[in-house]
């Protein structure tokens, strides 16, 4: 089992093209931990904004009567991928991993696979 810091470090170093990662509480919008990012890309601001994305999708699923859970949400930009992975463990309820990838260097399928593995090993 990995703690938050170890999991974030593993995501940033082992996932090709990763430029930033955060563990986010979507009930409050607060980042519980961040790694990477830059002066021009504030992971705390991104975490709060992506909380709205998660909440909106959950509301929509509820209105449509969709019973399944969200595995991940992908947002593609012209030069980045933003991957939101909701934690499924009991201790991770209300949390998601947020990963920013440089789309010119990332393999999206591998990034999803590795983030799922990190999520399974994360102990919150």
């Amino acid at each position: 089992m990995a703690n938050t810091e170890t999991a974030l470090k593993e995501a940033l170093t082992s996932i090709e093209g990763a430029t930033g990662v955060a563990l986010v509480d979507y009930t409050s919008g607060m980042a519980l931990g961040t790694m990477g990012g830059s002066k021009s890309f504030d992971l705390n601001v991104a975490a709060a904004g992506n909380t709205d994305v998660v909440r909106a999708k959950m509301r929509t699923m509820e209105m449509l009567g969709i019973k399944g859970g969200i595995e991940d949400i992908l947002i593609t930009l012209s030069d980045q991928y933003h991957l939101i992975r909701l934690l499924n463990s009991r201790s991770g309820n209300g949390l998601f991993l947020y990963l920013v990838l440089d789309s010119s260097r990332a393999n999206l399928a591998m990034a999803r696979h590795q983030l799922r593995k990190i999520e399974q090993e994360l102990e919150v």
Side-chain angles (χ1 to χ4, degrees):
M1 290 295 169
N3 66 20
T4 301
E5 183 180 350
T6 302
L8 296 178
K9 190 178 293 182
E10 182 179 349
L12 196 60
T13 58
S14 72
I15 298 175
E16 185 73 28
T19 60
V21 63
L23 178 64
V24 185
D25 177 344
Y26 64 77
T27 57
S28 68
M30 299 290 295
L32 304 178
T34 63
M35 202 163 282
S38 66
K39 290 184 182 196
S40 62
F41 192 90
D42 187 333
L43 281 167
N44 289 300
V45 172
N50 282 296
T51 294
D52 293 335
V53 172
V54 171
R55 289 179 186 160
K57 188 59 189 174
M58 290 180 140
R59 276 193 310 273
T60 303
M61 289 173 61
E62 185 178 332
M63 290 187 300
L64 292 171
I66 297 172
K67 301 294 183 208
I70 299 169
E71 283 187 23
D72 50 36
I73 298 170
L74 172 64
I75 300 168
T76 59
L77 305 177
S78 59
D79 60 349
Q80 293 178 337
Y81 298 132
H82 293 213
L83 188 57
I84 299 167
R85 173 102 188 151
L86 275 71
L87 274 60
N88 292 318
S89 67
R90 283 188 112 155
S91 64
N93 193 25
L95 303 177
F96 66 88
L97 284 166
Y98 170 62
L99 181 67
V100 181
L101 299 157
D102 176 342
S103 61
S104 68
R105 297 185 301 128
N107 177 324
L108 188 54
M110 284 303 297
R112 289 184 68 222
H113 174 74
Q114 288 175 276
L115 196 59
R116 181 177 32 243
K117 183 178 160 201
I118 290 166
E119 178 232 342
Q120 292 169 345
E121 296 172 359
L122 178 61
E123 183 68 36
V124 184

